[in-house]
Amino acid sequence: MAEKLWSKLETTLIEKNKAFISVTGGGGKTTVLVSFSSYLKKRGYSVLITTSTKLASPYSFDYKTDRIFLSPSIMNYWPKKGESVFYGKFDDNLKKTVAPSSSIVSLLYDRYDVVIVEADGSRRLPFKVHTKRDPVIWRDTTAIVAISGLWGYGERRCDVVFEDHSERVVDFDYINELVNSPEGMRKGMGENTKNLLLFNGGDILERSVIEEIKRLFIPENTSSFIVSLNEDMIYESI
């Protein structure tokens, strides 16, 4: 029987009703922000959504939050239990939300139960090879969730991997390298953070692909699941 994903994330990532979660990779980061924060609201947590990089404007994309702040005036607001709040800075040139001051977010963490940060960019591609500048993991981070979209399996890397221009395909060996490379999925994870890899797309994959992904070598201090973010389901533990 498949297990519910958001419930598992709650028990895995949140300790004593507190967590500062950075979300990296590709293939579903924004879905985690929206769906997991909505789940946590129903569970009675106060949740802050923000970014350490860039996000679509909350006026052009619905993050399903109760309040939106695009200035430090958020410091005058105290959240209620079961409420979610969006915070960032709006960039008029980019027409996007960019990272607010990390020091302000650090102060806000004292008054919110859970902070969820989109800490990476992948231009909507399912896989990501990191550069020196990313992901941007703020010092308060207690948990890191790295996502990849398995619908890119078997496709040319230049079509489905951000920052990889090779025409070779994404195969088992390539994903195994992404999992274990210093610039791959686990970049930013450490001994003092709760570390989780999510391979999204379990609802659309052939069983043979799932069986291959289950053979990945997952380093110590890291949990890993094949999931469907859209269906809130865990299909396999790796």
Side-chain angles (χ1 to χ4, degrees):
M1 178 69 69
E3 188 176 358
K4 289 291 187 179
L5 173 61
W6 308 126
S7 175
K8 185 68 172 181
L9 262 59
E10 178 188 4
T11 58
T12 301
L13 305 178
I14 299 174
E15 186 172 352
K16 297 181 180 178
N17 295 323
K18 289 287 284 186
F20 192 110
I21 303 167
S22 291
V23 185
T24 69
K29 295 189 302 297
T30 305
T31 301
V32 170
L33 263 67
V34 174
S35 297
F36 189 37
S37 65
S38 296
Y39 166 85
L40 293 174
K41 279 175 52 177
K42 293 177 182 177
R43 294 281 293 155
Y45 294 89
S46 58
V47 185
L48 179 69
I49 291 177
T50 188
T51 180
S52 60
T53 54
K54 294 187 288 288
L55 273 174
S57 164
Y59 297 114
S60 62
F61 182 88
D62 185 9
Y63 294 94
K64 302 189 184 302
T65 56
D66 300 294
R67 291 180 179 269
I68 296 169
F69 290 91
L70 297 177
S71 75
S73 63
I74 191 174
M75 293 302 294
N76 299 321
Y77 184 74
W78 290 82
K80 304 177 183 65
K81 293 292 185 180
E83 183 176 47
S84 63
V85 175
F86 182 98
Y87 174 48
K89 285 171 52 180
F90 187 73
D91 187 301
D92 288 317
N93 294 322
L94 295 173
K95 303 301 181 186
K96 285 190 172 185
T97 305
V98 296
S101 165
S102 62
S103 60
I104 291 181
V105 176
S106 183
L107 292 172
L108 291 171
Y109 184 36
D110 288 336
R111 62 180 75 169
Y112 287 82
D113 298 321
V114 179
V115 176
I116 306 178
V117 182
E118 183 164 300
D120 212 351
S122 63
R123 295 184 183 173
R124 301 183 179 274
L125 295 175
F127 294 102
K128 171 75 181 283
V129 174
H130 291 105
T131 64
K132 289 183 179 180
R133 66 179 182 273
D134 54 24
V136 182
I137 307 296
W138 281 334
R139 63 180 177 84
D140 290 297
T141 297
T142 63
I144 297 176
V145 178
I147 306 169
S148 284
L150 289 177
W151 52 88
Y153 192 84
E155 302 294 330
R156 295 190 311 168
R157 300 175 193 177
C158 56
D159 294 330
V160 297
V161 184
F162 185 55
E163 298 291 356
D164 190 331
H165 307 292
S166 168
E167 294 198 359
R168 297 177 64 187
V169 301
V170 173
D171 57 13
F172 172 84
D173 290 335
Y174 185 74
I175 295 179
N176 201 50
E177 182 179 348
L178 278 183
V179 169
N180 292 281
S181 167
E183 300 301 317
M185 289 184 69
R186 297 184 68 258
K187 186 175 181 181
M189 295 182 177
E191 294 181 358
N192 297 320
T193 53
K194 298 179 186 299
N195 305 317
L196 179 62
L197 304 179
L198 297 182
F199 294 94
N200 188 20
D203 54 323
I204 60 175
L205 295 176
E206 294 183 2
R207 188 68 208 179
S208 59
V209 175
I210 291 178
E211 291 300 321
E212 281 201 30
I213 299 301
K214 285 170 60 178
R215 296 192 294 109
L216 291 172
F217 174 76
I218 305 299
E220 293 183 1
N221 193 33
T222 306
S223 299
S224 183
F225 304 114
I226 298 171
V227 305
S228 168
L229 299 182
N230 290 329
E231 295 189 349
D232 179 23
M233 300 296 282
I234 297 175
Y235 287 89
E236 296 284 353
S237 176
I238 302 176

